[in-house]
Amino acid sequence: MFVELALTSSSDAGDGTTYLWNLHTGSMLGSFKQNVSPLQSLALVNNPRNLGTIFLSAQAEKGMMHVYNFQKDQVFLKFPLPDKIVCLATSNRGKYCAGGTENGRIHIWEIATGILHRTFDAHYKKITVLRFSSDDTVMFSGSEDAVVHVWMVNSLLDDSQTDSPAPHYSWTDHTLPITDIQCGVGRFHGARVVTSSLDHTCKLWDLSKGVLLTTFLFPTKIMALAFDPAERFFLAASGTPASTSSTANEADYLIYQALLYKSKYTQQGYSTIEAVDGDSGLEQIGLGGAKRNGVRGGDLVFRGHHHPILRLALNFDGSALVSGDSKGQLMVWDVASRQMVREVKQHKGAISSITTLFQPVDLYSNTTLTEKPKVAAITPFKRIPQARMGEGGPDVNGNNSIADDPQIMIATSTSGVDESDVLAQSQEHQMLENVRRAYVGSRGGLSASSGASGTKLAQEYQDLQLKYQELEAKLASLTASGAAAPVPAQPSLSSSDISAALSGLRSSGTKRRKA
Amino acid sequence: MAVAVQATPKDLLDSLIRRYLKDDLTVIEYVPFVVDALTHHRLLHDRNEQAVSGSSTGSANTSQNQSTQHRIWAQRVRALLESQQPGARWAGVCFVRVTAQQSASLFTDHVRTWVTLLVGMLSKPESVVNLEAIISTLSELFAKTAKRPDLKSDVSSKYLPDFHNHLLNHKDKKELLPTIFRALAQSVALFPTTFRLAVDKTEALCVAYMDGRFDLEPEIIDAAARCFAALHWAGGKNPNHPTERFTPSEQWRGNVQELIKAMHRCLNVLFSTVDEDKADENEMAGRNKYLTGMHSPAADAVQRYPQMFGRFSSLSKALVACLTCPTKDAVHLPLNNILALLTRVFDVNTKTPMSDARGVDSQEYFILISGISSLHIASNVVLRTLLATAQDHLVRHMSHLATIAIKSIRHTSGGAVSSSLRTSTYLTVESCIQAFGIPFVDMVQVPLMASLLEDLRMPSSRTVNPLELGAGGSNPNSRANNHTNAVKHKGGAGGSGGRNRRGGGQGGQGTMSTLNPLEDVVPAPVLIAALKVLSLMVTTSGPNLAPNARAAADTLVVTHLLNSQHHVNPIEQAETPFYTAAVRAQLYKMLVASISSPAETQSSLVSLSVGIFKAGLSDPEKHVRDSCLMALTICDLVMHSRLPPMQRARTVAPVPAPGERAVQDTGSALFGAFEVSKVNSATTADQNEIDTDEEEDEEDEQEDVEMQEQKVAPIPSSSAYGSSALVNEAAFKPQEQKVVIQSSVTVTDLADGQKGEKEEDEEDEDEEEEERIVDASINVTKTTFSSNTVSMAPATARDQRTKDVSASNTSLPTATTLTMTTSTMAVTSKVGEAGSDEDDDIVIPEINMEDDDDDDDDMDSD
């Protein structure tokens, strides 16, 4: 059975601990010390191999980055950052990391090499959220200046572009600071994006055209979002109390479920299910629960928090929701019934991030693993951008230092060589192959057959001997100059070559004849 | 009374030993039979012993016999190994291999003896066949000891060095080389420490076969390259510190860099006649004594160039092998160095002018240009491998790679370039698109599309196309006509476009022209590669492609498909078949890509595609038929869009059919279910009441549904049949008759299948064949779509209320899809019935009830 875990951190300096706990039982599996990360500043680095998982956490007040792995509870790696990073995101394939600053600047690093690829001014105010699309083609940035920018990742990483990058889209429909962004599945031309803001709205966007599909209006400020994996609904957490709250002390902070498909009754008495998006319409969620446009159905809310909810996260299949509020209370909900199933009270201060994950390889205490898995490659992030390459691409003599080279694990079947299927069918290819074979055969045949070939063989032998002598002379000169490292006393290569060649000539002839 | 004789493994093994292994002279003839018998009956398998010994006390004797037999077998095998007859020795080696594969206990008992004997045989004169068998058997035996510490001192440590030495001594036997290289590569991976002694010689051997002097068989070079790549496992000496050693990952990086330098040295020789960024000789000096010690190129240009081309391609194979050789630790990939090398190669092409420096021999320049394609093909392979290995790390070089790609595309388009190079370029572009996605497509779109359309164009005999009549003549200029025509119809690649063209045909050239012999037909591999790239482009950035180009591509693909289905085409009468099975399959895939990524500005191809895919069901090749079937299912999904599985309360779970696991169960089995502590009391009570009622009725419900299914089934099939007939009539009039005439087995199958579906209730039992086919096709579809159907049934159920049932039926395209959807249909109609009544006053079938009540509950609870 796969164990689902949640990794939660707090932005409260008095807490400073990140917890890893089982989503289904609530039991604690680990805690990581000395981590005070601001909202959305903790990012798990996915890696496709069975490497030990790491997560990055930016320490806002200190301008430091703390790196943790699941094998020890202390900081695994610590390095200074060029700026105070207030929000952080890693690409889905775990290759790149983006950090946003208080004054609207974004930095992008390659995690394995630590190269700072680019630093640019993206917004006028503090960056509040950074997110990569599911295929890592684009990056979203949201800011307190109420704008969402969509950046093509390639243009940010492109070494040949020297000027400041321009966003692919700029979504300016929100009127107050952006709080969260979630991107759905699909490639660039199919994905949908939800953004939330303090202006009481969430907006659904189409990524391919960059157009607004629907605006969802809520009665409260929205602080966090969670997007269903099958994109049937999204969940929005409120940062202000609902109007139905009885007293100020027991104020209700709700999580709203906004359906992206809903049933409608037509005048003919039929009901139909249809998608709510499209045509930049307006949907009201949680406003009184009255019938709207002839649509029945009340508000779908998760009721239980009494403080502003700051983070939300759905589990792998979207059946469980984890929410965390400003007093450090965590709740696990069953999404289907909207019932709270568990409360976790470990944190002492405001929750700053929640990540759900499967139990990583590091934490399996099985006996099959003889040694702990190696931790994924990470190099301390550089503080100044890497010198850019010129127009013509990498320099021919560019003997780059080892630090600039990405560290990768090569798996068995990443071969890009698929000649066999297509190229092998090519007539020319086959013809070339045949000619080559015939050539080898004929040469062997000549040498093996008596008569004229004898002289040819002798000639070849002489040639090889000449080359051998040449090489020997070269070797002697090398040893004399002392430039070469230990040179074998006997130049075994060339002599063996000659014998190999000669025997090859003989045997290939016999083989061909047999064939 | 006859005694029933039953063959036990013991008897079988006994008779094998007695009858076939007794004579050293003849045993070689029976080896295949004996190995077959041993394998199929698992006569040497340990399980036989355990099973027998575990079953009863009385069988201890049998077990004893069995182990006796095994002992006899082992003795006999040993005797064969020591025989004077070479044939018997070969047989012995084969039997050792089988025995080691089958029985762990026999392996443990006898591996010492076997290895001693086999290693001894390696040092004696043996035939090549025997040596090959011995080497591969020994490799296998050593591989089995790698995880056995108990055998380390007796076997691996003792005999491995000898084994390696013997292997290296046999390097003169060219036929053995691939086997030797494989054995060495495996050895270094499994026993890196023991192998260190042999690393030097092995490296020398590998490099000797990569220097381009011998025109060797590619298998040997491949094996040498792989062996060279594997050598990094043993680490290496650190020249700066005599006592320290390089770790495997350091050694890997060193090897790769040495290879790159060696390739640069090749290029320095090759590119002496053109102006380019020469690599610095000192920089490229290199440290590897074997790579630097390769023979200096011949003085004569005639000899020098072929040798250098050969060396470059061998070294590139080694580089590819290094890039794909699995590593234990993370390695530093010298990305910039590799890219610099590739850039250098791609910067020189057939259009590069000769250097105007003094003393440049134009003849040498001509030789260089003649062989430049081989450099590009080799570099393309390296680039593809790099893309597959480094993935996202290459993103920052994307625009640089795009420039290279555009250059290659421009230089390889047109008939002047070999199909191999074009195919290779396309495959590289495909890898790039896979790695970088839409931004890359945006960069290369214009030249790539032009090149693709050029390769996909119909040969000049395009007038034969029934839909394209009158669009152009059989002259070499028709290419241009073709494009303009395609662009003209950009708005109507679908049905309307087809009509227009048909209309145009009446006034145009109605007669079929013959294939112009001068017109060259695009070779199938190029066509396949082009279609692959095109489908990937369409999938990656469907709506964002330039509408004109997209429409032209769609039209061409549809035209090709129609041509391949209607054998009225002189292309088909040419010497080599144009629409080979692979081409057809790829054409269908491209059409699928096109309909699944529709462009906003043009009418969809779906209406046209349904007919094409249906006709494709009668393709003679099975895998083409399969892909058509899949394509029809996709069409079905496009036409009847499904909703995602909707969130529903869990109070009532639909009862799964026997043997079926509900989706939610699977989910909770994997991740664990959440216990909901308190459920809204009022609703639960209500639900429970209904639940209890329902539980009684559930079985009846099931029956009802089944009955309804049967009733409903004929209706959609007949209507679908009708609609399909309509579609046929509209677009492909000659299709049905043609099918019957044209093909032999498959078509009749299909016709039977359809008939069988249509008259399902009559159930013609006697037609066994028909049943089999229908079943088979259902199974095929089921595997891919059953999960969808199961989970989506309720969603569809909701959806169906407003949907026109007959409309949804009409376009169900195949017999197979029909059967699949009928079950959904049954539920649907049931729900629809109930749903039309207003809510709560009746006992509602389960699916509907929970659905409707869900919202109400929430209102109440809120």
Side-chain angles (χ1 to χ4, degrees):
Chain A
M1 184 166 142
F2 297 99
V3 181
E4 284 194 298
L5 310 177
L7 182 71
T8 54
S9 71
S10 164
S11 59
D12 190 272
D15 187 344
T17 313
T18 300
Y19 291 101
L20 184 70
W21 46 280
N22 188 323
L23 209 62
H24 295 259
T25 61
S27 59
M28 288 294 147
L29 285 163
S31 58
F32 306 91
K33 308 282 179 341
Q34 298 175 34
N35 181 25
V36 183
S37 59
L39 205 58
Q40 311 228 34
S41 295
L42 186 143
L44 200 70
V45 180
N46 294 322
N47 65 62
R49 307 270 307 165
N50 272 350
L51 290 172
T53 316
I54 55 173
F55 61 91
L56 312 172
S57 175
Q59 313 292 310
E61 298 308 316
K62 298 184 217 162
M64 293 286 286
M65 180 78 86
H66 286 188
V67 183
Y68 295 85
N69 68 17
F70 288 141
Q71 291 165 19
K72 71 181 210 182
D73 61 351
Q74 296 296 329
V75 184
F76 164 65
L77 191 66
K78 198 191 272 192
F79 48 84
L81 293 169
D83 234 331
K84 286 179 182 171
I85 298 295
V86 291
C87 76
L88 203 65
T90 52
S91 67
N92 291 298
R93 280 176 279 188
K95 299 283 187 337
Y96 296 100
C97 172
T101 68
E102 194 77 44
N103 48 12
R105 193 165 257 271
I106 295 179
H107 305 270
I108 294 193
W109 293 274
E110 189 171 18
I111 295 173
T113 57
I115 293 174
L116 176 55
H117 277 293
R118 193 174 282 257
T119 297
F120 60 101
D121 288 313
H123 291 272
Y124 296 110
K125 284 186 175 175
K126 178 187 171 187
I127 311 271
T128 50
V129 53
L130 288 171
R131 200 76 71 199
F132 284 87
S133 70
S134 57
D135 62 348
D136 286 347
T137 320
V138 297
M139 186 183 80
F140 308 94
S141 66
S143 158
E144 285 186 353
D145 63 6
V147 178
V148 175
H149 284 315
V150 181
W151 311 89
M152 297 303 273
V153 172
N154 78 292
S155 71
L156 299 181
L157 298 175
D158 196 340
D159 281 336
S160 61
Q161 290 194 6
T162 46
D163 44 342
S164 189
H168 195 70
Y169 304 123
S170 283
W171 293 334
T172 54
D173 295 49
H174 282 294
T175 54
L176 284 174
I178 308 296
T179 52
D180 205 355
I181 300 172
Q182 293 289 345
C183 181
V185 290
R187 296 194 192 207
F188 181 80
H189 70 80
R192 293 189 296 175
V193 184
V194 200
T195 58
S196 70
S197 161
L198 295 181
D199 64 5
H200 291 215
T201 63
C202 289
K203 288 179 191 287
L204 187 69
W205 309 85
D206 171 39
L207 190 54
S208 68
K209 298 279 170 217
V211 295
L212 176 65
L213 296 173
T214 318
T215 301
F216 296 87
L217 182 60
F218 293 87
T220 59
K221 290 177 182 172
I222 300 301
M223 296 300 290
L225 289 172
F227 207 1
D228 174 51
E231 297 183 23
R232 296 162 292 192
F233 59 85
F234 68 87
L235 300 162
S238 56
T240 43
S243 55
T244 52
S245 310
S246 46
T247 60
N249 289 340
E250 280 297 299
D252 271 336
Y253 289 82
L254 304 178
I255 299 167
Y256 297 96
Q257 185 173 13
L259 297 177
L260 299 180
Y261 294 90
K262 54 174 65 168
S263 57
K264 279 194 171 169
Y265 279 82
T266 58
Q267 290 177 339
Q268 286 78 28
Y270 293 110
S271 90
T272 172
I273 297 248
E274 59 178 42
V276 295
D277 57 357
D279 220 16
S280 46
L282 182 72
E283 286 288 323
Q284 298 184 351
I285 309 284
L287 290 167
K291 291 187 180 182
R292 304 177 297 272
N293 307 331
V295 184
R296 285 178 341 132
D299 303 328
L300 311 177
V301 294
F302 296 70
R303 193 183 296 269
H305 278 287
H306 298 303
H307 302 285
I309 306 164
L310 298 180
R311 297 306 306 146
L312 289 180
L314 280 168
N315 72 339
F316 184 71
D317 66 343
S319 62
L321 171 75
V322 190
S323 61
D325 66 20
S326 63
K327 293 290 177 194
Q329 187 166 38
L330 290 160
M331 289 186 180
V332 183
W333 308 79
D334 179 58
V335 173
S337 63
R338 292 182 288 282
Q339 298 293 309
M340 198 251 289
V341 288
R342 185 159 293 105
E343 257 183 290
V344 177
K345 289 176 180 167
Q346 285 286 343
H347 290 284
K348 299 190 186 87
I351 300 296
S352 63
S353 77
I354 303 175
T355 314
T356 56
L357 65 158
F358 280 127
Q359 183 161 352
V361 275
D362 318 51
L363 293 177
Y364 278 103
S365 56
N366 56 3
T367 50
T368 53
L369 286 177
T370 47
E371 51 188 26
K372 286 267 184 192
K374 296 204 169 60
V375 176
I378 179 164
T379 315
F381 289 179
K382 303 229 165 56
R383 300 173 72 182
I384 41 171
Q386 178 208 27
R388 300 194 167 279
M389 280 187 301
E391 281 289 303
D395 179 26
V396 173
N397 291 322
N399 222 350
N400 55 334
S401 74
I402 193 165
D404 294 347
D405 289 333
Q407 273 194 308
I408 53 164
M409 285 274 283
I410 299 177
T412 6
S413 56
T414 52
S415 164
V417 193
D418 44 4
E419 302 295 276
S420 48
D421 54 351
V422 182
L423 206 57
Q425 292 168 9
S426 149
Q427 279 184 351
E428 284 171 38
H429 185 79
Q430 280 172 359
M431 194 192 68
L432 280 176
E433 284 300 307
N434 290 341
V435 169
R436 190 190 298 270
R437 276 161 205 279
Y439 166 67
V440 172
S442 70
R443 208 164 63 154
L446 270 176
S447 63
S449 65
S450 56
S453 63
T455 51
K456 196 176 166 69
L457 189 70
Q459 258 179 7
E460 281 190 6
Y461 182 59
Q462 272 178 355
D463 282 355
L464 289 169
Q465 246 181 348
L466 277 176
K467 283 177 186 168
Y468 173 43
Q469 282 163 3
E470 206 178 288
L471 198 84
E472 224 172 14
K474 200 177 165 188
L475 269 170
S477 69
L478 277 172
T479 25
S481 68
V487 178
Q490 195 73 18
S492 56
L493 160 70
S494 46
S495 56
S496 71
D497 275 352
I498 292 169
S499 53
L502 288 176
S503 68
L505 288 173
R506 286 191 204 103
S507 58
S508 66
T510 44
K511 189 186 172 191
R512 291 298 153 197
R513 265 186 308 174
K514 271 184 202 165
Chain B
M1 195 174 118
V3 182
V5 178
Q6 208 172 7
T8 63
K10 180 208 132 199
D11 298 332
L12 294 179
L13 188 58
D14 191 51
S15 77
L16 283 183
I17 296 171
R18 279 172 199 281
R19 306 280 164 203
Y20 294 106
L21 265 64
K22 65 177 181 202
D23 189 359
D24 281 6
L25 278 173
T26 55
V27 64
I28 186 171
E29 290 167 29
Y30 304 117
V31 170
F33 171 74
V34 175
V35 171
D36 259 10
L38 287 173
T39 317
H40 291 316
H41 295 278
R42 311 184 81 188
L43 294 181
L44 300 171
H45 203 260
D46 291 333
R47 198 188 53 186
N48 282 344
E49 267 180 60
Q50 286 159 7
V52 173
S53 59
S55 59
S56 67
T57 48
S59 65
N61 197 18
T62 333
S63 165
Q64 191 78 34
N65 284 343
Q66 184 106 23
S67 59
T68 315
Q69 290 304 322
H70 280 189
R71 209 166 48 243
I72 295 172
W73 166 261
Q75 275 169 3
R76 186 66 198 128
V77 168
R78 186 186 169 158
L80 285 174
L81 287 179
E82 289 171 327
S83 162
Q84 295 296 321
Q85 294 294 327
R89 289 201 296 274
W90 181 75
V93 176
C94 294
F95 294 147
V96 165
R97 205 170 173 179
V98 173
T99 316
Q101 277 168 358
Q102 281 198 17
S103 161
S105 64
L106 278 174
F107 169 76
T108 316
D109 292 347
H110 299 281
V111 65
R112 292 170 190 83
T113 327
W114 291 337
V115 170
T116 320
L117 285 172
L118 289 174
V119 172
M121 283 160 81
L122 269 183
S123 60
K124 289 171 198 153
E126 281 281 358
S127 69
V128 170
V129 183
N130 273 15
L131 284 174
E132 199 169 344
I134 293 168
I135 293 173
S136 37
T137 308
L138 268 175
S139 284
E140 217 172 298
L141 293 180
F142 281 124
K144 276 176 179 285
T145 60
K147 293 274 164 74
R148 297 277 298 269
D150 52 325
L151 295 173
K152 196 182 169 195
S153 61
D154 283 354
V155 182
S156 37
S157 310
K158 201 169 169 186
Y159 291 104
L160 260 177
D162 283 350
F163 177 53
H164 297 149
N165 284 338
H166 289 313
L167 283 182
L168 291 167
N169 289 340
H170 284 295
K171 66 188 171 190
D172 303 344
K173 301 188 175 66
K174 212 165 143 192
E175 296 88 340
L176 270 184
L177 276 175
T179 322
I180 290 178
F181 280 129
R182 266 197 299 276
L184 288 171
Q186 184 204 294
S187 227
V188 68
L190 292 175
F191 309 97
T193 328
T194 321
F195 196 83
R196 278 183 195 164
L197 293 173
V199 166
D200 238 26
K201 282 183 180 173
T202 312
E203 197 171 348
L205 184 65
C206 294
V207 174
Y209 284 94
M210 291 193 294
D211 86 341
R213 269 185 312 155
F214 307 106
D215 203 32
L216 292 165
E217 288 170 41
E219 291 85 34
I220 297 183
I221 298 177
D222 282 342
R226 271 196 292 276
C227 183
F228 180 82
L231 283 180
H232 80 269
W233 288 83
K237 286 177 197 147
N238 188 342
N240 302 326
H241 300 272
T243 49
E244 279 184 22
R245 288 187 70 81
F246 279 138
T247 62
S249 51
E250 283 165 350
Q251 183 64 27
W252 184 90
R253 183 182 154 89
N255 282 354
V256 170
Q257 278 182 327
E258 288 300 322
L259 283 173
I260 293 170
K261 284 177 185 169
M263 288 165 92
H264 270 301
R265 289 196 294 272
C266 282
L267 293 181
N268 279 352
V269 176
L270 286 171
F271 292 166
S272 59
T273 53
V274 291
D275 287 326
E276 50 119 32
D277 294 344
K278 291 273 184 303
D280 188 354
E281 292 286 347
N282 295 331
E283 290 269 356
M284 296 306 153
R287 284 202 200 122
N288 185 308
K289 61 186 172 203
Y290 301 113
L291 284 172
T292 48
M294 279 181 166
H295 281 258
S296 53
D300 183 11
V302 176
Q303 282 179 22
R304 183 170 70 226
Y305 277 89
Q307 184 188 340
M308 285 294 129
F309 283 127
R311 186 181 292 183
F312 186 88
S313 84
S314 312
L315 289 173
S316 75
K317 276 183 184 170
L319 186 56
V320 166
C322 281
L323 290 177
T324 52
C325 179
T327 55
K328 245 184 200 168
D329 301 321
V331 287
H332 281 285
L333 177 70
L335 201 58
N336 289 342
N337 293 354
I338 300 177
L339 279 177
L341 175 76
L342 294 176
T343 313
R344 194 176 169 202
V345 177
F346 286 116
D347 274 347
V348 177
N349 52 52
T350 48
K351 308 247 165 66
T352 310
M354 193 174 84
S355 167
D356 50 5
R358 280 166 191 258
V360 175
D361 187 355
S362 60
Q363 287 304 320
E364 290 189 15
Y365 171 74
F366 296 148
I367 303 177
L368 166 69
I369 296 302
S370 340
I372 197 82
S373 300
S374 76
L375 287 189
H376 284 186
I377 290 179
S379 308
N380 273 332
V381 179
V382 175
L383 181 54
R384 281 206 291 282
T385 316
L386 192 65
L387 283 165
T389 308
Q391 297 166 359
D392 285 1
H393 292 294
L394 279 165
V395 173
R396 64 191 165 111
H397 301 288
M398 194 187 81
S399 58
H400 178 61
L401 290 175
T403 328
I404 291 180
I406 290 172
K407 242 189 254 174
S408 315
I409 292 164
R410 290 226 166 102
H411 288 127
T412 52
S413 57
V417 180
S418 80
S419 65
S420 308
L421 185 55
R422 269 151 91 192
T423 314
S424 168
T425 308
Y426 277 138
L427 291 178
T428 310
V429 172
E430 190 197 9
S431 298
C432 286
I433 298 179
Q434 277 166 348
F436 304 131
I438 192 166
F440 187 85
V441 178
D442 285 347
M443 284 181 182
V444 299
Q445 198 190 120
V446 177
L448 181 59
M449 254 324 201
S451 170
L452 288 173
L453 292 177
E454 177 75 21
D455 281 338
L456 288 179
R457 84 196 141 78
M458 297 298 297
S460 58
S461 55
R462 54 204 303 288
T463 42
V464 298
N465 173 12
L467 296 190
E468 289 270 344
L469 288 180
S474 57
N475 56 56
N477 295 330
S478 66
R479 200 177 286 171
N481 289 343
N482 184 11
H483 283 197
T484 46
N485 176 53
V487 173
K488 199 169 68 194
H489 289 297
K490 67 183 175 188
S496 64
R499 272 199 299 282
N500 286 343
R501 267 167 265 149
R502 245 196 338 266
Q506 291 163 0
Q509 304 172 1
T511 54
M512 293 179 186
S513 66
T514 52
L515 185 62
N516 182 351
L518 292 178
E519 178 88 6
D520 65 329
V521 177
V522 179
V526 177
L527 200 59
I528 292 170
L531 285 167
K532 271 187 170 177
V533 175
L534 189 61
S535 20
L536 190 62
M537 259 176 104
V538 168
T539 337
T540 310
S541 70
N544 301 357
L545 284 178
N548 293 0
R550 171 76 195 270
D554 283 346
T555 317
L556 281 176
V557 169
V558 169
T559 316
H560 272 298
L561 276 171
L562 290 177
N563 261 323
S564 72
Q565 289 173 353
H566 301 256
H567 291 267
V568 287
N569 193 338
I571 307 170
E572 288 300 320
Q573 289 143 28
E575 265 177 59
T576 48
F578 181 68
Y579 295 113
T580 58
V583 172
R584 290 199 303 272
Q586 205 55 48
L587 280 166
Y588 285 117
K589 277 184 194 156
M590 167 57 207
L591 194 55
V592 170
S594 187
I595 56 171
S596 49
S597 302
E600 277 178 15
T601 47
Q602 63 187 112
S603 61
S604 168
L605 286 175
V606 175
S607 50
L608 200 62
S609 316
V610 172
I612 290 176
F613 290 135
K614 267 187 189 170
L617 287 179
S618 58
D619 194 279
E621 284 288 328
K622 182 178 177 298
H623 72 271
V624 180
R625 287 201 301 272
D626 289 352
S627 60
C628 285
L629 205 61
M630 187 71 190
L632 278 171
T633 327
I634 291 170
C635 284
D636 173 42
L637 280 174
V638 169
M639 290 183 289
H640 316 128
S641 55
R642 309 279 158 84
L643 295 168
M646 284 302 173
Q647 196 72 51
R648 288 132 47 81
R650 289 197 190 169
T651 39
V652 182
V655 179
E660 179 197 26
R661 284 182 80 189
V663 176
Q664 227 147 34
D665 286 349
T666 322
S668 49
L670 281 172
F671 312 124
F674 282 93
E675 295 294 324
V676 180
S677 49
K678 43 174 187 177
V679 184
N680 298 334
S681 52
T683 42
T684 334
D686 291 352
Q687 298 281 14
N688 286 346
E689 270 182 35
I690 303 167
D691 260 6
T692 41
D693 288 351
E694 261 182 19
E695 271 163 21
E696 293 165 13
D697 293 338
E698 259 164 13
E699 285 188 8
D700 302 352
E701 287 286 350
Q702 281 298 111
E703 282 175 20
D704 283 355
V705 171
E706 277 166 25
M707 280 169 65
Q708 282 217 355
E709 225 177 290
Q710 289 195 345
K711 277 181 221 158
V712 176
I715 306 165
S717 56
S718 60
S719 62
Y721 188 76
S723 78
S724 77
L726 275 176
V727 173
N728 279 341
E729 207 172 73
F732 310 100
K733 222 161 193 173
Q735 187 57 31
E736 293 218 345
Q737 289 169 352
K738 213 170 188 62
V739 164
V740 180
I741 301 161
Q742 150 203 30
S743 80
S744 49
V745 189
T746 343
V747 177
T748 41
D749 282 357
L750 177 81
D752 285 352
Q754 280 188 344
K755 200 172 76 184
E757 284 298 324
K758 201 174 70 177
E759 306 166 0
E760 199 177 55
D761 37 359
E762 291 177 20
E763 302 253 333
D764 291 341
E765 293 280 335
D766 49 347
E767 303 244 352
E768 283 181 12
E769 173 115 287
E770 146 191 337
E771 284 244 339
R772 188 175 54 76
I773 284 149
V774 173
D775 280 358
S777 50
I778 289 171
N779 282 337
V780 169
T781 341
K782 213 191 256 173
T783 45
T784 26
F785 283 93
S786 58
S787 64
N788 262 349
T789 330
V790 171
S791 59
M792 285 177 181
T796 329
R798 288 163 165 219
D799 196 18
Q800 289 285 348
R801 266 189 231 165
T802 45
K803 278 199 176 163
D804 186 354
V805 175
S806 65
S808 69
N809 290 336
T810 41
S811 32
L812 289 173
T814 46
T816 327
T817 355
L818 271 177
T819 20
M820 224 179 59
T821 34
T822 39
S823 58
T824 328
M825 279 284 313
V827 180
T828 312
S829 56
K830 182 101 187 154
V831 172
E833 228 169 75
S836 57
D837 295 330
E838 268 307 30
D839 290 317
D840 306 317
D841 46 354
I842 54 155
V843 179
I844 311 164
E846 45 182 314
I847 298 165
N848 187 30
M849 176 219 58
E850 61 182 13
D851 178 19
D852 272 359
D853 283 358
D854 191 13
D855 291 348
D856 292 357
D857 297 346
D858 293 320
M859 280 179 74
D860 296 345
S861 65
D862 293 337

